[in-house]
Amino acid sequence: MTEKHIVLEDIDPVVFYGVGNSHLQMIKALYPKLRIVARDNVIRVLGDDEQLRIFGEQIEIMRKHVLQFNRISEEDILDIVNGKKTKDESVKGVVAYTISGRAIKSRSENQQKLIDAFDKDDMIFAVGPAGTGKTYLSIALAVKAFKEKQAKKIILSRPAVEAGEKLGFLPGDMKDKIDPYLQPLYDALEDMIPAVKLQDMMEKHIIQIAPLAFMRGRTLSDAIVILDEAQNTTPAQIRMFLTRMGWNTKMIITGDMTQVDLPNEARSGLREAMRVLKGVEGISFIEMNKKDIVRHKLVTRIVNAYESYDKNNKEQNKERNNESVNKD
């Protein structure tokens, strides 16, 4: 008889063992000749060498299933033990899964272009109006790449620019002061990575979330790097950020040119970067529009209303300017 220890790395053992250890009890029933004891994320198993080998291989497949899909069912366990594909594995085009098991996949042509560009190029600019899934899909791609060991780190950044209101003094340490600016990034990550695992990854700096100003002087290697709200960067800031790119790194830069919160006299670095880098090999530009909006149906109507409003204002201002010139 041989004893073997199997460590359930990178997953929540509670998900693996099931509610009330139901999955664990099922696994024990499927391997009656083995003595199986589990504690925390370690499974201790006793049996003959051949049975231990098969058990270890199948437990690893189950572990990878939980890592990829954030869930596993009794039906999945049976399929794996019987050498079959699970239902989740049969679904195509899925980027990642939320912690509730919802599939994250492209929901529009331009979202699919973003996914394809990520596979093809090392730097992607994704611009478009609110609700088109730019940030959420980008983070899903980063999580997928990390789980598949294509990168060792996920680095998320945003310029710390207030959206039309002054927040004033913020209490607490540096993290407390910058977190309000970075909350949308936390929201997306919390949707895809279990809370305990996410906290652990952040403590180990596997996932790093920081304001753009903290990027200066760094070389970002072996990472998926996302710059969100890039329309609120200055030309100097985005130039600094883009030149942080190191070996084996992919960058996604997202922004919405209709939501620039910079002072009136400041130019948007995103607009300039897209103009300067257009045509550079290895860089993709994905332009999303109203058809890509995947939030509540009212968001599309709101975007349409504001576009009409801005267009009318522009035409009225043009008429006023023409009248002024004629009077002069």
Side-chain angles (χ1 to χ4, degrees), residues 148-164:
E148 293 177 352
K149 301 189 183 301
Q150 296 174 17
K152 296 178 181 178
K153 299 187 293 286
I154 298 173
I155 301 173
L156 311 175
S157 186
R158 265 185 155 209
V161 176
E162 296 161 345

Side-chain angles (χ1 to χ4, degrees), residues 123-140:
M123 184 177 290
I124 303 104
F125 286 81
V127 297
T132 51
K134 305 181 300 295
T135 302
Y136 193 82
L137 187 56
S138 296
I139 292 177

Side-chain angles (χ1 to χ4, degrees), residues 124-261:
I124 303 104
F125 286 81
V127 297
T132 51
K134 305 181 300 295
T135 302
Y136 193 82
L137 187 56
S138 296
I139 292 177
L141 287 166
V143 170
K144 178 177 183 286
F146 175 79
K147 286 185 175 182
E148 293 177 352
K149 301 189 183 301
Q150 296 174 17
K152 296 178 181 178
K153 299 187 293 286
I154 298 173
I155 301 173
L156 311 175
S157 186
R158 265 185 155 209
V161 176
E162 296 161 345
E165 57 181 318
K166 298 298 180 183
L167 299 179
F169 173 76
L170 293 173
D173 59 17
M174 180 61 72
K175 184 177 184 301
D176 294 328
K177 293 177 189 296
I178 64 178
D179 272 359
Y181 298 101
L182 306 173
Q183 192 57 49
L185 304 179
Y186 286 112
D187 290 344
L189 285 170
E190 288 168 355
D191 207 18
M192 302 175 204
I193 302 174
V196 174
K197 182 61 181 175
L198 177 58
Q199 183 65 30
D200 180 63
M201 292 173 76
M202 294 184 71
E203 287 176 356
K204 293 178 179 177
H205 301 290
I206 295 170
I207 292 180
Q208 303 171 27
I209 305 179
L212 181 59
F214 285 30
M215 295 295 109
R216 186 172 296 278
R218 299 184 64 184
T219 300
L220 309 176
S221 299
D222 295 311
I224 307 299
V225 187
I226 298 172
L227 174 61
D228 192 34
E229 299 288 350
Q231 76 276 4
N232 288 327
T233 61
T234 65
Q237 284 175 327
I238 199 166
R239 184 172 182 176
M240 175 275 293
F241 174 82
L242 296 178
T243 54
R244 300 305 93 201
M245 192 174 191
W247 294 107
N248 190 37
T249 288
K250 284 180 179 282
M251 281 187 168
I252 306 177
I253 300 92
T254 70
D256 177 1
M257 294 313 305
T258 67
Q259 294 188 1
V260 178
D261 299 310

Side-chain angles (χ1 to χ4, degrees), residues 37-50:
V37 178
R39 177 172 292 180
D40 296 328
N41 68 331
V42 178
I43 299 175
R44 186 163 60 88
V45 56
L46 191 68
D48 68 47
D49 290 343
E50 181 60 17

Side-chain angles (χ1 to χ4, degrees), residues 84-121:
K84 300 178 182 178
K85 278 190 173 185
T86 65
K87 285 184 178 179
D88 287 329
E89 290 175 309
S90 301
V91 179
K92 296 182 179 180
V94 177
V95 175
Y97 285 80
T98 67
I99 57 175
S100 64
R102 179 175 59 83
I104 302 171
K105 56 199 301 187
S106 66
R107 296 174 63 182
S108 71
E109 182 180 348
N110 286 322
Q111 283 193 357
Q112 186 60 49
K113 286 181 180 179
L114 173 56
I115 295 170
D116 295 340
F118 185 81
D119 293 334
K120 180 172 67 78
D121 291 321

